[in-house]
Amino acid sequence: MTTALNLAALATTAFGLVSAAVVLAAAGRLVPALAVLLDFLTAAGLLWLTGDPSWSTIAAAAAVIAVRKLVTAGLRPPRPG
Amino acid sequence: MEWADRYGYSPTVNTTAEVLPESALREAVDLLVRLVEAAGALIIFVGAVWAFGHFLLTMVRGAGPDRRFNRIRLTLGRFLALGLEFQLAGDVLRTAVAPSFTEIGQLAAIAAIRTALNFFLGREIAAERAEIERERRKEADGSRARAEPV
C-alpha cells in the first residue's frame, strides 16, 4: 500500500504543478496560482501521512501545512471595509 | 482430590477462555485502520484528480473569471476535509491499540496535524463560500441596475 500511496502523493504534486501553471497562464496572476499549488501540496502531504510515517515524514508534512497557512494568510487581499 | 484426578482437573491449568486474544484484536484494529485510512487517501486522491481535470477543462474552454478557479478550489477543499475526517477516524481507531510510547507520540502528532488542518480547512471553505456568494450578489445587483435605468 505504501508504494501506491507514494505514487499517489507524487502524482498529486505533479497535478498541482501543472494546475498552478494553468491558472497562472489563464488568470495572469501569481496569487491564485500559488493558492492552487499549495492546495495540491497539502493533499500530497496528507497522502504522505497515511500509513506508518516516520518522524521526518510527519515533520515534513507539518512544515508544508504550516508554510501553506502562512503563505495563504500573507497573500490574502485585505477585506474591503 | 480424587475427583480432580479422575476428571483431569488441575488447578495450575489456566481455565480462562480467551474469547478475544489481544493479538486478534490488534490484527482486527490494524485491518480496520488500514481500510479507513485507505478510504480517506482515496477520497483525497480522487479530489485531486477531479480538481486537476477541471482546471484543465477550464483552460481548454477559455479562462473565465477567477471565481471559477475558486469554485474548483472550494470543491478540492471539501474533498480534503472529507478525506481528513476518514483519516481522523483511523487515528481514533488506532488509539485502541498503541503499544509503545513512540507510536503514541507519532499518533498524537499526526492527529494534531490532521485536526488543525481540518479546522483551518473548514474556516477557509466557509470564507471562500462567503466570498463567492458576495461576488454573485454584486453581479446580480449590477445586472439589475443595468436593467432598470433611472
Side-chain angles (χ1 to χ4, degrees):
Chain A
M1 193 168 104
T2 315
T3 317
L5 281 170
N6 288 351
L7 273 177
L10 276 178
T12 306
T13 308
F15 290 163
L17 287 170
V18 176
S19 300
V22 164
V23 173
L24 183 63
R29 289 191 300 129
L30 187 65
V31 176
L34 200 54
V36 167
L37 176 65
L38 288 169
D39 277 354
F40 275 93
L41 288 186
T42 308
L46 287 175
L47 290 174
W48 287 119
L49 274 185
T50 312
D52 289 325
S54 61
W55 279 115
S56 55
T57 315
I58 296 172
V64 167
I65 288 166
V67 166
R68 173 187 181 275
K69 199 65 217 149
L70 279 175
V71 171
T72 316
L75 290 179
R76 192 175 296 147
R79 285 216 173 142
Chain B
M1 293 290 277
E2 278 177 20
W3 63 272
D5 292 337
R6 197 181 305 149
Y7 295 109
Y9 173 78
S10 164
T12 54
V13 172
N14 186 9
T15 53
T16 53
E18 284 207 47
V19 179
L20 190 61
E22 198 185 333
S23 58
L25 177 70
R26 197 166 296 222
E27 277 173 22
V29 169
D30 199 42
L31 180 68
L32 280 176
V33 166
R34 276 172 193 276
L35 280 176
V36 173
E37 283 209 330
L42 188 67
I43 290 169
I44 290 172
F45 186 63
V46 166
V49 172
W50 182 92
F52 178 61
H54 274 74
F55 278 125
L56 288 187
L57 267 181
T58 310
M59 176 74 173
V60 168
R61 284 180 189 157
D66 277 2
R67 203 176 64 199
R68 208 178 288 173
F69 293 131
N70 278 344
R71 272 205 193 128
I72 300 171
R73 278 190 60 218
L74 189 63
T75 312
L76 175 60
R78 283 191 188 128
F79 270 106
L80 291 189
L82 181 63
L84 267 172
E85 302 275 359
F86 271 86
Q87 296 196 326
L88 278 171
D91 290 343
V92 172
L93 267 175
R94 209 179 273 179
T95 55
V97 276
S100 67
F101 266 109
T102 312
E103 284 192 25
I104 295 171
Q106 285 184 340
L107 184 60
I110 295 172
I113 291 172
R114 287 175 176 162
T115 308
L117 188 60
N118 206 11
F119 172 73
F120 287 124
L121 265 177
R123 274 181 35 175
E124 279 176 25
I125 287 172
E128 205 82 43
R129 198 186 295 156
E131 182 73 28
I132 287 174
E133 198 60 39
R134 198 163 38 234
E135 279 180 18
R136 192 185 296 158
R137 209 172 300 146
K138 205 189 291 174
E139 269 182 19
D141 287 349
S143 58
R144 206 178 302 147
R146 275 197 301 274
E148 299 168 5
V150 281

